[in-house]
Amino acid sequence: MPETQVQAPGLFCWCDLSTPDVSAAKKFYSGLFGWTLDDVPAGPEGSYTMARHQGSDVCGMAQMPAELQASGVP
């Protein structure tokens, strides 16, 4: 993954994934991109997973809240 030092307007710079299946997402993305994953406690809601590539944080992911899943949020 290239590392960008200067952020041009409109350039993608962070990804945060809210998913109904964190375990499957971790397996998929760590296999696809070679990310290492670190679960960080996030209070009663569970944990927040930091994804890292070559020592840099590249993405975060967490369990989608049940109320969002029930309302049909993709």
Side-chain angles (χ1 to χ4, degrees):
M1 247 180 210
E3 188 171 323
T4 302
Q5 298 298 323
V6 177
Q7 299 293 332
L11 183 66
F12 173 82
C13 61
W14 184 256
C15 179
D16 197 52
L17 175 66
S18 178
T19 177
D21 192 344
V22 174
S23 295
K26 288 166 138 182
K27 183 177 179 179
F28 176 77
Y29 288 108
S30 64
L32 181 66
F33 295 122
W35 290 347
T36 57
L37 306 170
D38 184 30
D39 291 332
V40 179
E45 299 301 316
S47 63
Y48 184 78
T49 301
M50 291 298 299
R52 294 187 175 89
H53 185 261
Q54 297 180 344
S56 295
D57 294 340
V58 294
C59 177
M61 63 182 84
Q63 181 70 35
M64 181 184 288
E67 59 273 8
L68 291 180
Q69 291 180 52
S71 68
V73 171

